[in-house]
Amino acid sequence: MARGQYESDAAIHAVSPTFCPKPYTWGRYKILDPPTYFLLAEFREIGQQPPEPIRFTSQLAEFHKKSVSPTGKFGFHTTTCHGKAPQLTDIWEDSWEVLYYKQLSQAFELNRKKHPAWPEFDFYASLILDQCVSRLLGPLQSEGRSIKPCLVHGNIWDQNTATDMETGEPFVFDGSAFYAHNEYELGNWRTARHRLSSKTYIKGYKRYFPASEPEGDWDSRNLLYSLRFNLHASTLIPGSNYREHVFEDLKELCMRICPEDAANFKSKALDAENDSNDGEEEEEEEEEEEEEKEKEEEEEEEEDRGTWSGQEEEEKVTLD
């Protein structure tokens, strides 16, 4: 985790020194239990968080444009983390679709291990991986289109970007970097819990770095990218309602990209619910019939006892 942040901030600083504090070193304390690590970096006094939109988005876009992947591929040379959650970054792929598929699969798996079973959630997750990823990311690198692997911070939100109190310039820190589609950076801005979700920041960024083609898919790609951030948030904070929000986003994206499959699942779920209700009704009817039968048998036994008692009384009178 400490190494990932060091390597992330070092890569960002190398591209744009004013945009990220210089990390000097990282390491492990001599104490063995618990394992404790440190990161030593340049000090900057934090001002406004997040920074003023126009200057911040222009410098972020410029940083993305200036960055160059050392391999020409998507990925990174080491593992980086979103909070404490490890990201699948230490691989290189020519295809952004392939890399993001692997990363999102890992995010779903980490999330599944932290929460109780939820079949409906898993169904929509499988649709996202099997259909939505290829439908939305495949066209970025097909039919003559291409995208550049850009170095991204990887987890920009309100509390790890700020205005430098000395220079007045915006900067970022606490990186989770790798080379990605530049639009991935904005996936974390979609959620309403961040002030960066303001349309001012989104519009500002797109003014300096226009949407990739097909431009009409931009919002759906943004929703797809937001899933990975929110899955990690749900994994790291199990008692939150983040997973429920992710579930709603899964359904929304599936209804946009593969509505028939999503609708068929809803229909099957409804049929199963109806079958379950029918079964419960049948069980209730059978229980009522059984109770009625038992009641009739009890009444017959009572009548028999009354008849037997009358016969005994008659015999006693006769004998007397």
Side-chain angles (χ1 to χ4, degrees):
M1 182 175 169
R3 182 191 174 191
Q5 183 179 334
Y6 171 83
E7 296 290 350
S8 295
D9 289 352
I12 297 170
H13 180 82
V15 175
S16 183
T18 63
F19 198 55
C20 182
K22 178 179 177 61
Y24 295 119
T25 188
W26 73 280
R28 178 171 176 171
Y29 285 96
K30 291 181 179 179
I31 183 172
L32 298 178
D33 189 20
T36 306
Y37 296 82
F38 68 87
L39 174 68
L40 182 64
E42 170 194 355
F43 174 78
R44 294 191 190 181
E45 188 174 358
I46 289 176
Q48 178 182 336
Q49 290 185 287
E52 182 274 327
I54 295 177
R55 183 173 293 181
F56 173 62
T57 55
S58 66
Q59 292 198 19
L60 178 62
E62 183 63 21
F63 158 67
H64 287 157
K65 290 177 180 178
K66 286 170 60 179
S67 64
V68 178
S69 170
T71 63
K73 300 180 180 183
F74 300 94
F76 204 54
H77 61 277
T78 191
T79 298
T80 61
C81 297
H82 178 128
K84 293 182 179 180
Q87 302 185 125
L88 183 61
T89 53
D90 58 334
I91 55 174
W92 295 102
E93 296 286 354
D94 290 309
S95 167
W96 168 239
E97 174 193 341
V98 170
L99 178 60
Y100 190 69
Y101 177 92
K102 292 179 178 179
Q103 292 179 331
L104 190 59
S105 297
Q106 182 208 36
F108 276 124
E109 184 60 29
L110 289 174
N111 187 262
R112 195 173 292 115
K113 291 178 180 178
K114 287 287 185 178
H115 295 279
W118 189 354
E120 197 172 4
F121 185 99
D122 292 341
F123 171 81
Y124 284 108
S126 67
L127 281 186
I128 293 292
L129 292 171
D130 295 343
Q131 299 196 40
C132 297
V133 171
S134 59
R135 162 63 181 79
L136 291 171
L137 303 189
L140 293 169
Q141 294 177 281
S142 64
E143 299 180 6
R145 292 182 288 265
S146 64
I147 54 173
K148 168 195 167 184
C150 295
L151 184 63
V152 295
H153 173 281
N155 187 25
I156 291 179
W157 65 294
D158 304 340
Q159 296 301 310
N160 57 17
T161 182
T163 302
D164 189 321
M165 288 291 286
E166 182 178 345
T167 66
E169 294 297 321
F171 69 99
V172 297
F173 52 96
D174 193 15
S176 308
F178 66 104
Y179 290 88
H181 181 207
N182 67 293
E183 291 178 9
Y184 172 81
E185 192 88 276
L186 279 60
N188 204 24
W189 301 6
R190 190 179 187 93
T191 179
R193 67 179 179 271
H194 298 323
R195 293 191 296 279
L196 283 168
S197 65
S198 166
K199 292 182 180 179
T200 306
Y201 288 94
I202 299 291
K203 288 182 178 179
Y205 180 87
K206 291 171 73 175
R207 183 181 297 119
Y208 299 108
F209 204 141
S212 300
E213 294 292 343
E215 185 177 356
D217 287 344
W218 188 92
D219 188 68
S220 291
R221 288 196 299 264
N222 184 251
L223 179 55
L224 177 65
Y225 294 153
S226 75
L227 294 177
R228 188 164 171 238
F229 293 100
N230 292 330
L231 279 167
H232 284 316
S234 169
T235 299
L236 295 169
I237 314 173
S240 69
N241 63 351
Y242 293 157
R243 200 175 199 226
E244 285 69 23
H245 287 305
V246 171
F247 179 62
E248 294 303 319
D249 287 342
L250 295 177
K251 290 195 295 183
E252 179 182 344
L253 191 55
C254 288
M255 289 305 295
R256 291 186 188 185
I257 305 304
C258 46
E260 291 185 2
D261 292 288
N264 287 339
F265 178 77
K266 283 187 175 181
S267 177
K268 289 179 181 178
L270 184 60
D271 289 343
E273 183 178 349
N274 289 337
D275 289 343
S276 176
N277 291 337
D278 291 343
E280 290 176 359
E281 290 176 359
E282 289 177 2
E283 288 180 3
E284 289 176 359
E285 290 177 359
E286 289 176 358
E287 288 177 359
E288 290 176 358
E289 290 177 358
E290 187 66 27
E291 289 176 0
E292 185 66 28
K293 184 177 180 181
E294 290 177 356
K295 185 177 180 181
E296 291 177 355
E297 290 176 351
E298 288 176 358
E299 290 176 351
E300 290 177 358
E301 289 178 359
E302 187 65 31
E303 289 178 2
D304 290 341
R305 282 196 294 270
T307 302
W308 180 254
S309 176
Q311 290 175 349
E312 284 185 332
E313 189 64 32
E314 289 178 3
E315 289 178 4
K316 183 179 179 181
V317 170
T318 303
L319 292 172
D320 288 347

